[in-house]
Amino acid sequence: MPGVGGQAGLCGHGLGLPAGQAADAARDLLAAMGAVRGLDTALGLWTKRTLELREQWTAGLPAGAHGVLTGDLPADHRALDAWAAQRTGGLIDRMPVLLAEDTEMVLASALALRTRWLSPFEEGPLETAYEPWAAEPRLGLRRSSVLLDRIGVAPTPGGHVTELKVLGDNALDVHLLLGEKGMGPGRVVEAGVGILAGRYPVVPGPRLPLGHAGPGVLVEKERCERPEPPSLHVTTVAYAMEASHDLLELHRLFGLTTARDTTRGHFPGISAFPLAVGSARQTCVARFGARGFEAAAVTAFDMAGGGMPDLRHVTTRISAVFDRPFGFLALHRHTRLVLAAGWVTDPLPRQE
């Protein structure tokens, strides 16, 4: 959340930076994200007319970012909702904020990303033995390629994790993460971040051993009629999800422990008026389909054939099946910056 600099550590302890450096670091991050094709970011600030802000702090805000809270709560809510919808291309239509009579300021960020797959999937029914998903028809996605390095398996402290890279046409990619049975969402997604950071070595598709090489991965030798290159065959599911989070419930994780104390002020770098975090909420959505991926997040803080062929040739076939709950990371390919993350538990139904 750029521009929040104070002594409470809203961008200090939460980011692992001194409070004096947090605002500049956040501005630099926004600038870098703004240069990424397919990614839109925005910062919004709304204050009561009576709240005086420090000029040095407001000078670091993007142009046009500062709005006014009129005190008319329904009208202010409508204005904030319109901003969220506009800045996310309609993916999120409500600002996740709790306005009250004593709300002096609202600070919000928005992020929206869209990408189309370099190689689209084909839609079809999902065949799975995982009972919660097998209870009703699910929309499966399949594709085949000769790019074996799109799949890999990494040993991690919590167990082996299979990583599938699904590349977008604008360097925005989605990595699907399937852990061993029994690995929870936290461990699998954390392992995925560790893989990106290079903490865990990945065995790429061309080097995977024959047999069950990792969660959901089977490597086989297959006879064929004519010489064929090794191939990768992927099965996964389409999904769409929406989630809301109360960041104050995890105040230690986000560096909000001190800032939520409303008995005193915590942000002298913003205003001489005593400010504290009254609420901190986030709404996010993600959609993964046959042709592409889109996601958005808004975070808001308020203060206050025929015949038998002659099979004389042999090739390698890798099958990767994501037919039970798995994680995903959406990221910028070149910087490895993670833009969205989630856990898939309820794929889209298949419409006949």
Short mmCIF file of all heavy atoms in Angstrom, two decimals, residues 36-89:
data_model
loop_
_atom_site.label_atom_id
_atom_site.label_comp_id
_atom_site.label_asym_id
_atom_site.label_seq_id
_atom_site.Cartn_x
_atom_site.Cartn_y
_atom_site.Cartn_z
N VAL A 36 4.16 -3.32 -16.59
CA VAL A 36 3.89 -4.69 -17.03
C VAL A 36 2.65 -4.72 -17.92
O VAL A 36 1.57 -4.25 -17.52
CB VAL A 36 3.68 -5.62 -15.82
CG1 VAL A 36 3.29 -7.03 -16.28
CG2 VAL A 36 4.95 -5.68 -14.98
N ARG A 37 2.79 -5.25 -19.12
CA ARG A 37 1.65 -5.35 -20.05
C ARG A 37 0.62 -6.34 -19.52
O ARG A 37 0.96 -7.43 -19.09
CB ARG A 37 2.18 -5.79 -21.42
CG ARG A 37 1.18 -5.66 -22.55
CD ARG A 37 1.91 -5.68 -23.89
NE ARG A 37 2.67 -6.90 -24.06
CZ ARG A 37 2.22 -7.97 -24.70
NH1 ARG A 37 1.00 -7.97 -25.21
NH2 ARG A 37 2.98 -9.04 -24.83
N GLY A 38 -0.64 -5.93 -19.54
CA GLY A 38 -1.71 -6.79 -19.06
C GLY A 38 -2.01 -6.63 -17.59
O GLY A 38 -2.92 -7.28 -17.07
N LEU A 39 -1.26 -5.75 -16.90
CA LEU A 39 -1.44 -5.54 -15.47
C LEU A 39 -1.78 -4.08 -15.23
O LEU A 39 -1.08 -3.18 -15.69
CB LEU A 39 -0.16 -5.92 -14.72
CG LEU A 39 -0.15 -5.67 -13.20
CD1 LEU A 39 -1.18 -6.56 -12.52
CD2 LEU A 39 1.24 -5.95 -12.64
N ASP A 40 -2.87 -3.83 -14.52
CA ASP A 40 -3.29 -2.48 -14.16
C ASP A 40 -3.31 -2.34 -12.65
O ASP A 40 -3.85 -3.22 -11.94
CB ASP A 40 -4.69 -2.17 -14.71
CG ASP A 40 -4.72 -2.19 -16.23
OD1 ASP A 40 -3.84 -1.56 -16.84
OD2 ASP A 40 -5.63 -2.84 -16.80
N THR A 41 -2.72 -1.26 -12.15
CA THR A 41 -2.73 -1.00 -10.71
C THR A 41 -3.19 0.43 -10.47
O THR A 41 -3.07 1.29 -11.35
CB THR A 41 -1.33 -1.18 -10.09
OG1 THR A 41 -0.42 -0.24 -10.71
CG2 THR A 41 -0.82 -2.60 -10.30
N ALA A 42 -3.73 0.68 -9.30
CA ALA A 42 -4.20 2.02 -8.97
C ALA A 42 -4.15 2.21 -7.47
O ALA A 42 -4.25 1.25 -6.69
CB ALA A 42 -5.62 2.23 -9.48
N LEU A 43 -4.00 3.47 -7.06
CA LEU A 43 -4.02 3.87 -5.66
C LEU A 43 -5.05 4.96 -5.49
O LEU A 43 -5.11 5.89 -6.31
CB LEU A 43 -2.64 4.38 -5.23
CG LEU A 43 -2.54 4.91 -3.79
CD1 LEU A 43 -2.62 3.75 -2.81
CD2 LEU A 43 -1.23 5.67 -3.60
N GLY A 44 -5.89 4.83 -4.48
CA GLY A 44 -6.91 5.83 -4.21
C GLY A 44 -6.89 6.27 -2.76
O GLY A 44 -6.67 5.46 -1.86
N LEU A 45 -7.12 7.56 -2.56
CA LEU A 45 -7.15 8.14 -1.21
C LEU A 45 -8.36 9.06 -1.13
O LEU A 45 -8.57 9.90 -2.02
CB LEU A 45 -5.87 8.93 -0.93
CG LEU A 45 -5.86 9.76 0.35
CD1 LEU A 45 -5.73 8.86 1.57
CD2 LEU A 45 -4.73 10.79 0.33
N TRP A 46 -9.15 8.91 -0.09
CA TRP A 46 -10.29 9.77 0.16
C TRP A 46 -10.22 10.27 1.60
O TRP A 46 -10.00 9.47 2.53
CB TRP A 46 -11.60 9.03 -0.06
CG TRP A 46 -11.80 8.55 -1.46
CD1 TRP A 46 -12.51 9.15 -2.45
CD2 TRP A 46 -11.27 7.34 -2.03
NE1 TRP A 46 -12.45 8.42 -3.60
CE2 TRP A 46 -11.70 7.29 -3.38
CE3 TRP A 46 -10.47 6.31 -1.54
CZ2 TRP A 46 -11.36 6.26 -4.23
CZ3 TRP A 46 -10.13 5.28 -2.39
CH2 TRP A 46 -10.57 5.26 -3.72
N THR A 47 -10.40 11.56 1.82
CA THR A 47 -10.31 12.13 3.17
C THR A 47 -11.46 13.10 3.39
O THR A 47 -12.01 13.67 2.43
CB THR A 47 -8.98 12.88 3.38
OG1 THR A 47 -8.89 13.95 2.42
CG2 THR A 47 -7.79 11.95 3.22
N LYS A 48 -11.78 13.30 4.65
CA LYS A 48 -12.71 14.37 4.99
C LYS A 48 -12.06 15.72 4.68
O LYS A 48 -10.84 15.86 4.76
CB LYS A 48 -13.07 14.29 6.48
CG LYS A 48 -14.05 13.19 6.84
CD LYS A 48 -14.45 13.29 8.30
CE LYS A 48 -15.51 12.24 8.65
NZ LYS A 48 -15.89 12.30 10.09
N ARG A 49 -12.88 16.70 4.36
CA ARG A 49 -12.34 18.02 4.03
C ARG A 49 -11.61 18.65 5.20
O ARG A 49 -10.74 19.50 5.02
CB ARG A 49 -13.48 18.94 3.57
CG ARG A 49 -14.08 18.56 2.22
CD ARG A 49 -15.07 19.61 1.73
NE ARG A 49 -15.55 19.31 0.39
CZ ARG A 49 -16.62 18.59 0.12
NH1 ARG A 49 -17.32 18.06 1.13
NH2 ARG A 49 -16.99 18.36 -1.12
N THR A 50 -11.96 18.22 6.40
CA THR A 50 -11.36 18.82 7.60
C THR A 50 -10.02 18.18 7.98
O THR A 50 -9.35 18.68 8.88
CB THR A 50 -12.32 18.70 8.79
OG1 THR A 50 -12.68 17.31 8.96
CG2 THR A 50 -13.58 19.51 8.55
N LEU A 51 -9.63 17.10 7.30
CA LEU A 51 -8.38 16.42 7.64
C LEU A 51 -7.23 17.05 6.86
O LEU A 51 -7.21 17.04 5.62
CB LEU A 51 -8.47 14.92 7.31
CG LEU A 51 -7.20 14.10 7.62
CD1 LEU A 51 -6.92 14.07 9.11
CD2 LEU A 51 -7.32 12.69 7.07
N GLU A 52 -6.27 17.59 7.56
CA GLU A 52 -5.11 18.20 6.93
C GLU A 52 -3.99 17.16 6.80
O GLU A 52 -3.59 16.54 7.78
CB GLU A 52 -4.62 19.39 7.76
CG GLU A 52 -5.61 20.55 7.80
CD GLU A 52 -5.02 21.76 8.51
OE1 GLU A 52 -3.79 21.75 8.77
OE2 GLU A 52 -5.78 22.71 8.80
N LEU A 53 -3.50 17.00 5.57
CA LEU A 53 -2.43 16.05 5.28
C LEU A 53 -1.12 16.80 5.09
O LEU A 53 -1.10 17.96 4.68
CB LEU A 53 -2.75 15.25 4.01
CG LEU A 53 -4.06 14.46 4.02
CD1 LEU A 53 -4.29 13.82 2.66
CD2 LEU A 53 -4.07 13.42 5.11
N ARG A 54 -0.04 16.12 5.37
CA ARG A 54 1.28 16.73 5.20
C ARG A 54 1.61 16.79 3.71
O ARG A 54 1.48 15.80 2.98
CB ARG A 54 2.34 15.94 5.96
CG ARG A 54 2.09 15.90 7.46
CD ARG A 54 3.33 15.48 8.21
NE ARG A 54 3.07 15.32 9.64
CZ ARG A 54 3.05 16.34 10.50
NH1 ARG A 54 3.26 17.58 10.07
NH2 ARG A 54 2.82 16.11 11.79
N GLU A 55 2.05 17.96 3.27
CA GLU A 55 2.32 18.16 1.85
C GLU A 55 3.39 17.20 1.32
O GLU A 55 3.31 16.72 0.20
CB GLU A 55 2.75 19.60 1.61
CG GLU A 55 1.64 20.62 1.83
CD GLU A 55 2.08 22.02 1.49
OE1 GLU A 55 3.22 22.17 0.97
OE2 GLU A 55 1.31 22.97 1.72
N GLN A 56 4.41 16.92 2.14
CA GLN A 56 5.47 16.02 1.69
C GLN A 56 4.91 14.64 1.39
O GLN A 56 5.35 13.97 0.45
CB GLN A 56 6.58 15.93 2.75
CG GLN A 56 7.75 15.06 2.35
CD GLN A 56 8.81 14.99 3.43
OE1 GLN A 56 8.66 15.58 4.50
NE2 GLN A 56 9.90 14.28 3.15
N TRP A 57 3.94 14.21 2.14
CA TRP A 57 3.36 12.88 1.93
C TRP A 57 2.45 12.87 0.71
O TRP A 57 2.51 11.98 -0.13
CB TRP A 57 2.59 12.47 3.17
CG TRP A 57 2.06 11.07 3.12
CD1 TRP A 57 2.74 9.91 3.31
CD2 TRP A 57 0.70 10.68 2.80
NE1 TRP A 57 1.91 8.83 3.15
CE2 TRP A 57 0.66 9.27 2.84
CE3 TRP A 57 -0.46 11.39 2.52
CZ2 TRP A 57 -0.51 8.56 2.60
CZ3 TRP A 57 -1.63 10.69 2.27
CH2 TRP A 57 -1.64 9.28 2.30
N THR A 58 1.58 13.88 0.59
CA THR A 58 0.65 13.92 -0.54
C THR A 58 1.39 14.12 -1.86
O THR A 58 0.88 13.72 -2.92
CB THR A 58 -0.39 15.03 -0.36
OG1 THR A 58 0.29 16.29 -0.19
CG2 THR A 58 -1.26 14.76 0.85
N ALA A 59 2.58 14.72 -1.81
CA ALA A 59 3.34 14.93 -3.04
C ALA A 59 3.74 13.61 -3.69
O ALA A 59 4.01 13.57 -4.90
CB ALA A 59 4.58 15.77 -2.76
N GLY A 60 3.79 12.54 -2.92
CA GLY A 60 4.16 11.24 -3.46
C GLY A 60 3.00 10.46 -4.02
O GLY A 60 3.19 9.35 -4.53
N LEU A 61 1.78 11.00 -3.96
CA LEU A 61 0.61 10.28 -4.48
C LEU A 61 0.51 10.45 -5.99
O LEU A 61 0.90 11.48 -6.54
CB LEU A 61 -0.67 10.83 -3.84
CG LEU A 61 -0.83 10.63 -2.33
CD1 LEU A 61 -2.08 11.36 -1.84
CD2 LEU A 61 -0.91 9.15 -1.98
N PRO A 62 -0.01 9.45 -6.69
CA PRO A 62 -0.23 9.60 -8.13
C PRO A 62 -1.22 10.72 -8.42
O PRO A 62 -2.08 11.05 -7.59
CB PRO A 62 -0.80 8.24 -8.55
CG PRO A 62 -0.43 7.29 -7.45
CD PRO A 62 -0.39 8.11 -6.21
N ALA A 63 -1.12 11.29 -9.58
CA ALA A 63 -2.03 12.37 -9.97
C ALA A 63 -3.47 11.86 -9.99
O ALA A 63 -3.76 10.78 -10.49
CB ALA A 63 -1.64 12.90 -11.34
N GLY A 64 -4.37 12.63 -9.43
CA GLY A 64 -5.78 12.29 -9.44
C GLY A 64 -6.18 11.23 -8.44
O GLY A 64 -7.31 10.73 -8.47
N ALA A 65 -5.28 10.87 -7.54
CA ALA A 65 -5.58 9.79 -6.60
C ALA A 65 -6.38 10.26 -5.40
O ALA A 65 -6.98 9.45 -4.70
CB ALA A 65 -4.28 9.15 -6.11
N HIS A 66 -6.42 11.57 -5.12
CA HIS A 66 -7.00 12.08 -3.89
C HIS A 66 -8.44 12.52 -4.12
O HIS A 66 -8.70 13.40 -4.94
CB HIS A 66 -6.17 13.25 -3.36
CG HIS A 66 -6.53 13.67 -1.97
ND1 HIS A 66 -5.91 14.70 -1.31
CD2 HIS A 66 -7.46 13.19 -1.10
CE1 HIS A 66 -6.43 14.84 -0.10
NE2 HIS A 66 -7.38 13.93 0.05
N GLY A 67 -9.37 11.90 -3.39
CA GLY A 67 -10.77 12.27 -3.43
C GLY A 67 -11.25 12.73 -2.08
O GLY A 67 -10.49 12.84 -1.11
N VAL A 68 -12.56 13.01 -1.98
CA VAL A 68 -13.15 13.59 -0.76
C VAL A 68 -14.22 12.66 -0.21
O VAL A 68 -15.02 12.08 -0.96
CB VAL A 68 -13.75 14.97 -1.07
CG1 VAL A 68 -14.48 15.53 0.16
CG2 VAL A 68 -12.66 15.94 -1.51
N LEU A 69 -14.25 12.52 1.12
CA LEU A 69 -15.35 11.88 1.83
C LEU A 69 -16.33 12.98 2.24
O LEU A 69 -15.97 13.88 3.00
CB LEU A 69 -14.85 11.12 3.06
CG LEU A 69 -13.96 9.91 2.80
CD1 LEU A 69 -13.45 9.33 4.11
CD2 LEU A 69 -14.69 8.84 1.99
N THR A 70 -17.56 12.90 1.74
CA THR A 70 -18.53 13.98 1.97
C THR A 70 -19.21 13.89 3.32
O THR A 70 -19.80 14.86 3.78
CB THR A 70 -19.60 13.96 0.88
OG1 THR A 70 -20.37 12.75 0.99
CG2 THR A 70 -18.96 14.01 -0.50
N GLY A 71 -19.18 12.69 3.94
CA GLY A 71 -19.93 12.49 5.16
C GLY A 71 -21.28 11.85 4.91
O GLY A 71 -21.94 11.36 5.84
N ASP A 72 -21.73 11.84 3.65
CA ASP A 72 -22.95 11.14 3.26
C ASP A 72 -22.55 9.69 2.99
O ASP A 72 -22.05 9.36 1.90
CB ASP A 72 -23.54 11.80 2.02
CG ASP A 72 -24.86 11.16 1.56
OD1 ASP A 72 -25.11 9.99 1.94
OD2 ASP A 72 -25.60 11.80 0.80
N LEU A 73 -22.76 8.81 3.97
CA LEU A 73 -22.23 7.45 3.88
C LEU A 73 -22.72 6.69 2.65
O LEU A 73 -21.91 6.06 1.95
CB LEU A 73 -22.54 6.67 5.16
CG LEU A 73 -21.88 7.21 6.45
CD1 LEU A 73 -22.18 6.27 7.62
CD2 LEU A 73 -20.39 7.36 6.27
N PRO A 74 -24.02 6.70 2.32
CA PRO A 74 -24.44 5.98 1.09
C PRO A 74 -23.79 6.54 -0.17
O PRO A 74 -23.37 5.78 -1.04
CB PRO A 74 -25.96 6.18 1.08
CG PRO A 74 -26.32 6.40 2.52
CD PRO A 74 -25.18 7.19 3.08
N ALA A 75 -23.69 7.86 -0.28
CA ALA A 75 -23.08 8.46 -1.46
C ALA A 75 -21.59 8.13 -1.53
O ALA A 75 -21.04 7.84 -2.61
CB ALA A 75 -23.30 9.97 -1.46
N ASP A 76 -20.92 8.18 -0.39
CA ASP A 76 -19.50 7.85 -0.37
C ASP A 76 -19.27 6.40 -0.74
O ASP A 76 -18.32 6.07 -1.47
CB ASP A 76 -18.91 8.14 1.02
CG ASP A 76 -18.77 9.63 1.30
OD1 ASP A 76 -18.77 10.41 0.33
OD2 ASP A 76 -18.68 10.00 2.48
N HIS A 77 -20.13 5.50 -0.25
CA HIS A 77 -20.01 4.09 -0.62
C HIS A 77 -20.16 3.91 -2.13
O HIS A 77 -19.42 3.15 -2.76
CB HIS A 77 -21.07 3.25 0.11
CG HIS A 77 -20.55 2.61 1.37
ND1 HIS A 77 -19.55 1.67 1.37
CD2 HIS A 77 -20.91 2.79 2.67
CE1 HIS A 77 -19.32 1.28 2.61
NE2 HIS A 77 -20.11 1.95 3.42
N ARG A 78 -21.13 4.61 -2.72
CA ARG A 78 -21.34 4.47 -4.17
C ARG A 78 -20.11 4.95 -4.94
O ARG A 78 -19.71 4.34 -5.95
CB ARG A 78 -22.59 5.25 -4.58
CG ARG A 78 -23.90 4.60 -4.13
CD ARG A 78 -25.08 5.23 -4.85
NE ARG A 78 -25.26 6.64 -4.49
CZ ARG A 78 -25.99 7.06 -3.47
NH1 ARG A 78 -26.62 6.18 -2.68
NH2 ARG A 78 -26.12 8.35 -3.22
N ALA A 79 -19.53 6.05 -4.47
CA ALA A 79 -18.34 6.57 -5.16
C ALA A 79 -17.17 5.59 -5.05
O ALA A 79 -16.42 5.38 -6.02
CB ALA A 79 -17.96 7.93 -4.57
N LEU A 80 -16.98 5.00 -3.88
CA LEU A 80 -15.89 4.04 -3.69
C LEU A 80 -16.13 2.77 -4.51
O LEU A 80 -15.19 2.21 -5.09
CB LEU A 80 -15.73 3.71 -2.21
CG LEU A 80 -15.31 4.87 -1.30
CD1 LEU A 80 -15.31 4.44 0.15
CD2 LEU A 80 -13.94 5.40 -1.69
N ASP A 81 -17.38 2.32 -4.55
CA ASP A 81 -17.70 1.13 -5.35
C ASP A 81 -17.42 1.39 -6.84
O ASP A 81 -16.90 0.51 -7.55
CB ASP A 81 -19.16 0.73 -5.16
CG ASP A 81 -19.45 0.20 -3.77
OD1 ASP A 81 -18.49 -0.13 -3.05
OD2 ASP A 81 -20.64 0.11 -3.41
N ALA A 82 -17.77 2.57 -7.31
CA ALA A 82 -17.54 2.91 -8.72
C ALA A 82 -16.05 2.91 -9.03
O ALA A 82 -15.62 2.47 -10.10
CB ALA A 82 -18.16 4.27 -9.04
N TRP A 83 -15.24 3.40 -8.09
CA TRP A 83 -13.78 3.40 -8.29
C TRP A 83 -13.26 1.97 -8.39
O TRP A 83 -12.45 1.66 -9.28
CB TRP A 83 -13.11 4.13 -7.12
CG TRP A 83 -11.63 4.26 -7.23
CD1 TRP A 83 -10.92 5.27 -7.82
CD2 TRP A 83 -10.63 3.34 -6.73
NE1 TRP A 83 -9.56 5.06 -7.72
CE2 TRP A 83 -9.36 3.87 -7.05
CE3 TRP A 83 -10.69 2.14 -6.04
CZ2 TRP A 83 -8.17 3.24 -6.71
CZ3 TRP A 83 -9.51 1.49 -5.71
CH2 TRP A 83 -8.26 2.05 -6.04
N ALA A 84 -13.72 1.09 -7.50
CA ALA A 84 -13.26 -0.31 -7.52
C ALA A 84 -13.63 -0.97 -8.84
O ALA A 84 -12.82 -1.69 -9.45
CB ALA A 84 -13.85 -1.07 -6.34
N ALA A 85 -14.87 -0.75 -9.32
CA ALA A 85 -15.30 -1.36 -10.58
C ALA A 85 -14.50 -0.83 -11.76
O ALA A 85 -14.09 -1.59 -12.65
CB ALA A 85 -16.79 -1.11 -10.78
N GLN A 86 -14.27 0.48 -11.78
CA GLN A 86 -13.52 1.07 -12.88
C GLN A 86 -12.09 0.59 -12.92
O GLN A 86 -11.54 0.28 -13.98
CB GLN A 86 -13.57 2.59 -12.77
CG GLN A 86 -12.84 3.31 -13.90
CD GLN A 86 -12.83 4.81 -13.73
OE1 GLN A 86 -13.04 5.32 -12.63
NE2 GLN A 86 -12.61 5.53 -14.81
N ARG A 87 -11.44 0.51 -11.76
CA ARG A 87 -10.03 0.18 -11.71
C ARG A 87 -9.75 -1.30 -11.91
O ARG A 87 -8.61 -1.70 -12.14
CB ARG A 87 -9.44 0.62 -10.36
CG ARG A 87 -9.49 2.13 -10.14
CD ARG A 87 -8.73 2.87 -11.20
NE ARG A 87 -8.66 4.31 -10.93
CZ ARG A 87 -7.95 5.17 -11.63
NH1 ARG A 87 -7.24 4.75 -12.65
NH2 ARG A 87 -7.96 6.45 -11.34
N THR A 88 -10.78 -2.16 -11.81
CA THR A 88 -10.59 -3.59 -12.03
C THR A 88 -11.31 -4.08 -13.28
O THR A 88 -11.44 -5.29 -13.48
CB THR A 88 -11.08 -4.41 -10.81
OG1 THR A 88 -12.49 -4.22 -10.64
CG2 THR A 88 -10.35 -4.00 -9.54
N GLY A 89 -11.76 -3.17 -14.11
CA GLY A 89 -12.46 -3.58 -15.33
C GLY A 89 -13.73 -4.34 -15.05
O GLY A 89 -14.14 -5.19 -15.85
#
